[in-house]
Amino acid sequence: MFSYNLKLAVHSFKRAPSLYFLVVLTLSIGVGLLCANLALVSSMAGDPIPEKSDQLFHVSMNTWPTDQPDVEPFHILRYRDAMKIVESELPKNSAAFYASGVYARDAQSKSLKRFDSSVRATTPGFFALTNAPFAYGTGFAKSSGMEVVIGDELNKNIFAGKNSVGKTLELDGELLTIVGVLKPWTLRPLFYHATEGRAFNLTDDIYAPLETAIDLGWSIHAKSSSTDRYKSVSSTRDLNVFYLQAWVELENKTKQQAFQSYLDNYTQILKDAGDHPLDILNELRDVNDWLLQLKLVDQKILAFTLASILFLCVCIFNASSLLLSRFHSAKFEVGLRRAIGASNKQMLMQGITESVVLGVIAGIISLLLSWLFLKLSINFLPGLADIAVLEPRLLILGVLLALVTSVSSALYPLYRANRYTISAELK
Amino acid sequence: MNNVSRIYRNDTIQTHALRDFSLEVKSGEFVAVTGPSGSGKSTFLNVAGLLDTFDQGEYKLDGISVHGLKDDELSRLRNEKIGFIFQSYNLIPDYSIFDNVDMPLRYRGFNSAERKRRVEQALEKVGLASRAKYLPSQLSGGQQQRVAIARALAGEPKILLADEPTGNLDSLMARQVMELLHDLNQEGTTIIMVTHDADQAREVSRNIQIIDGQISDFKIYAPLQSLDKYKNEQSDESIKTPEVIDV
């Protein structure tokens, strides 16, 4: 019966192509616009590391050395505070890092072309903590040493994407050996550094050992605060310079509580020693909680998404009224089929088959329109470039949404068509 | 049908389209239903064909009481036991003759080979086997009505209900269609035909006249061909109680 219903649907489309074109177009625009918005919201509100987002915690501490700070704990830490975190054996993994930047070139290359590269100066636990995917080699094992891990993009730019483990990079005049190369890696949002408007940046080009970066004086390319004067990063270890972010991986509540106590004890000792005058206020926030606190989802985009949902409702009503007129004009055939033995259920299935076919067509067109809307958005708002991405699950959602809207827009017309008295339909 | 009433109501008036209507049609009969416009002929045919409901009374089709049946069951009864022939043929214009005749069989769940056999057999019976791939618009009015008859016959129903089957045809084509209906009746098909044509009404085995939703006159013009045949084959006792289709 399904193939027969399919055949009837095609017949029906051939009879009123303009009307069905309008129905498909109406639904496609509605679904396409909503999908484009959902793509933006999904990028902004998505879970970047769902496999363990509830086990990774951002650490904020209240160790500002004077009595005039915010009541909120600070998201950047001093070197000695960060080291206290990394030293702890409670977390399964931990990382302390800061963002920097260097110019990079292949030390063996005759070309002097250098690539402006973002650097993550980090402790070695970063790779296991973030599940960084390695294409070649591994992460570095110590926080010091002239070794680096590079990202896929930089590897493509300098080494044409080949295995570059063992090769030497010249980074701002210093020679460092590559020990690992990452696969293409997208974190949306970039949870480990979602502050200062970086939430939708790409992952870094270079990952260097923290101590090495500090020793080499690689500058801080992110928010920093201090109560002490300093000339170079290399002199920050003992000063009140706040610039490191710290993350820990705590596998269960018990460890979480234990680590909270560990931090609280540490800051209490500091306070007792006169290091800071503040209340003990240390915060552990898991990935989603942390991203939520940072309010990454743009309120304007949320409002526009709501408007898109309402617009889709209008599209469904329009499509429904078009289909109602179509079904009304097909009353005779409905009556005839009912008279010769089709049940209401069979007529309903015929109508639903037709609307499913419409939904599939509308789904495909809506995905093309979504893509087009996103491209246009990027043209007008270049800042959306890294967010405006149609992920596979959104493609599936788009087709499903088109199917649901198509079937729902046909429900009332079908209900009406099945309420006609057969004898009246045949007159 | 036994004391069947059908009342149409609106805000101000109610119309008794059928009033305590009782009729029994035997298997193999060819019954003509006549009467002036608005007398209740079409309502009778709609109720008989399960296209409309009734308010009171009892109606048994082939021994099955239809009162209270669900939509699915009524649809199955229509599909299996009734063949409809409409005045304006009611063919779907953009379907081939084959597809038009095939329609009721689709809802019966037959496989394609069985459907093909039945469609070809029905078209053969009405003399249009060679036109299976034509569209209705490529046929004359008489031929289109024969296609409609083939569609009604394809499901091998117990009864044919014809609503002025020659109403849209010229006299020659009307004659051909009537001859076809008579041939089918000769072969044992039970037919109830609504007509305005007094001559056609006289050609059949029984003519009932409806006025104001009730049978006002009742005439038997000709013996039942199929019953004669039936009588020849059965014992004397069974002649007194022939097989009936209750309508």
Side-chain angles (χ1 to χ4, degrees), chain B residues 174-241:
Chain B
R175 191 67 255 150
Q176 289 170 349
V177 167
M178 282 308 295
E179 280 172 11
L180 177 58
L181 290 177
H182 278 287
D183 288 345
L184 293 171
N185 179 242
Q186 292 281 330
E187 291 167 15
T189 307
T190 309
I191 302 174
I192 298 176
M193 176 182 72
V194 165
T195 182
H196 275 113
D197 189 322
D199 291 337
Q200 286 179 3
R202 274 193 290 275
E203 288 174 17
V204 303
S205 52
R206 185 155 56 128
N207 172 211
I208 59 167
Q209 192 173 26
I210 300 179
I211 293 176
D212 292 337
Q214 290 178 310
I215 296 175
S216 70
D217 199 9
F218 186 99
K219 290 169 183 155
I220 296 178
Y221 290 114
L224 291 176
Q225 302 296 335
S226 56
L227 276 183
D228 286 347
K229 187 181 168 193
Y230 182 87
K231 283 173 190 171
N232 294 335
E233 291 171 2
Q234 302 295 321
S235 66
D236 287 337
E237 190 180 9
S238 64
I239 293 170
K240 292 169 191 168
T241 55

Side-chain angles (χ1 to χ4, degrees), chain A residues 47-59 91-95 97 125-132 185 187 191-192 246-252 256 259 283-291:
Chain A
D47 184 342
I49 185 162
E51 64 274 22
K52 57 176 180 180
S53 57
D54 58 340
Q55 294 176 18
L56 301 185
F57 294 86
H58 179 270
V59 184
K92 183 181 178 189
N93 293 297
S94 60
F97 50 76
F126 175 87
F127 302 104
L129 183 135
T130 57
N131 284 351
W185 188 28
L187 285 174
F191 75 92
Y192 64 77
W247 283 81
V248 289
E249 182 174 352
L250 300 164
E251 294 159 287
N252 52 49
Q256 194 184 326
F259 192 73
E283 274 185 4
L284 292 174
R285 288 185 185 270
D286 71 21
V287 173
N288 291 318
D289 193 16
W290 175 239
L291 297 177

Side-chain angles (χ1 to χ4, degrees), chain A residues 1 4 7-8 11 15 332-333 336-346 350 422-423 426, chain B residues 46 50-52 71-72 75-76 78-79 84 86 90-92 94-95 99 103-104 106-107 151:
Chain A
M1 206 65 201
Y4 183 57
K7 187 178 160 189
L8 295 181
H11 259 292
R15 278 180 197 154
F332 151 72
E333 189 175 327
L336 177 64
R337 289 184 182 280
R338 299 274 289 114
I340 62 173
S343 65
N344 262 333
K345 207 181 290 172
Q346 285 167 320
Q350 182 187 324
I422 305 172
S423 54
L426 287 170
Chain B
N46 288 336
L50 309 178
L51 302 181
D52 201 354
D71 176 73
D72 281 4
S75 301
R76 197 167 59 245
R78 276 198 298 273
N79 186 271
F84 289 99
F86 304 97
N90 287 359
L91 300 177
I92 296 183
D94 53 351
Y95 285 11
D99 286 343
M103 265 172 55
R106 290 279 185 171
Y107 299 107
R151 180 179 63 196

Side-chain angles (χ1 to χ4, degrees), chain A residues 63-364:
Chain A
T63 56
W64 191 260
T66 66
D67 58 357
Q68 47 127 21
D70 326 75
V71 285
E72 294 292 320
F74 223 14
H75 78 274
I76 42 179
L77 312 173
R78 294 178 297 198
Y79 175 83
R80 57 178 181 276
D81 299 334
M83 287 307 108
K84 194 70 187 173
I85 291 168
V86 175
E87 279 166 17
S88 169
E89 290 183 354
L90 286 167
K92 183 181 178 189
N93 293 297
S94 60
F97 50 76
Y98 73 96
S100 185
V102 293
Y103 284 93
R105 66 176 281 271
D106 178 3
Q108 278 86 45
S109 170
K110 289 177 183 170
S111 168
L112 295 178
K113 186 180 178 186
R114 287 172 167 79
F115 291 89
D116 186 2
S117 311
S118 62
V119 172
R120 184 73 27 193
T122 179
T123 53
F126 175 87
F127 302 104
L129 183 135
T130 57
N131 284 351
F134 278 87
Y136 308 108
T138 58
F140 39 80
K142 294 178 183 173
S143 281
S144 57
M146 299 301 273
E147 296 174 333
V148 287
V149 169
I150 64 171
D152 176 70
E153 191 68 27
L154 187 67
N155 191 49
K156 277 180 185 155
N157 286 337
I158 298 182
F159 301 106
K162 292 177 184 165
N163 185 354
S164 55
V165 171
K167 302 215 173 199
T168 308
L169 280 180
E170 183 197 313
L171 305 175
D172 282 1
E174 301 291 340
L175 298 179
L176 288 95
T177 305
I178 297 168
V179 293
V181 178
L182 297 182
K183 290 178 182 169
W185 188 28
T186 305
L187 285 174
R188 200 176 292 114
L190 188 68
F191 75 92
Y192 64 77
H193 196 154
T195 51
E196 299 113 34
R198 289 170 179 248
F200 305 109
N201 282 10
L202 302 175
T203 48
D204 297 285
D205 296 318
I206 296 170
Y207 304 84
L210 178 65
E211 303 297 342
T212 305
I214 293 174
D215 289 340
L216 293 174
W218 286 355
S219 56
I220 303 162
H221 285 201
K223 182 176 179 178
S224 65
S225 278
S226 71
T227 55
D228 299 330
R229 286 183 178 278
Y230 67 99
K231 283 187 179 175
S232 162
V233 177
S234 56
S235 62
T236 58
R237 285 190 177 97
D238 299 321
L239 299 179
N240 289 315
V241 182
F242 293 75
Y243 65 103
L244 290 159
Q245 293 206 43
W247 283 81
V248 289
E249 182 174 352
L250 300 164
E251 294 159 287
N252 52 49
K253 283 270 178 202
T254 315
K255 284 200 171 181
Q256 194 184 326
Q257 283 164 359
F259 192 73
Q260 181 75 50
S261 302
Y262 173 80
L263 288 179
D264 293 348
N265 289 340
Y266 167 67
T267 49
Q268 184 64 53
I269 291 167
L270 290 183
K271 186 176 180 178
D272 294 346
D275 188 64
H276 71 89
L278 307 173
D279 294 338
I280 305 305
L281 194 58
N282 304 303
E283 274 185 4
L284 292 174
R285 288 185 185 270
D286 71 21
V287 173
N288 291 318
D289 193 16
W290 175 239
L291 297 177
L292 203 64
Q293 191 192 340
L294 295 177
K295 293 182 179 158
L296 298 184
V297 182
D298 190 325
Q299 296 301 305
K300 286 178 200 156
I301 288 179
L302 269 187
F304 199 62
T305 303
L306 194 66
S308 304
I309 292 171
L310 295 176
F311 178 68
L312 180 60
C313 291
V314 173
C315 289
I316 292 173
F317 283 126
N318 275 335
S320 189
S321 78
L322 285 168
L323 287 175
L324 191 63
S325 71
R326 167 74 194 119
F327 283 26
H328 188 74
S329 66
K331 267 171 74 173
F332 151 72
E333 189 175 327
V334 173
L336 177 64
R337 289 184 182 280
R338 299 274 289 114
I340 62 173
S343 65
N344 262 333
K345 207 181 290 172
Q346 285 167 320
M347 294 310 296
L348 194 68
M349 284 314 295
Q350 182 187 324
I352 286 177
T353 307
E354 188 176 306
S355 57
V356 165
V357 175
L358 278 180
V360 170
I361 298 169
I364 293 165

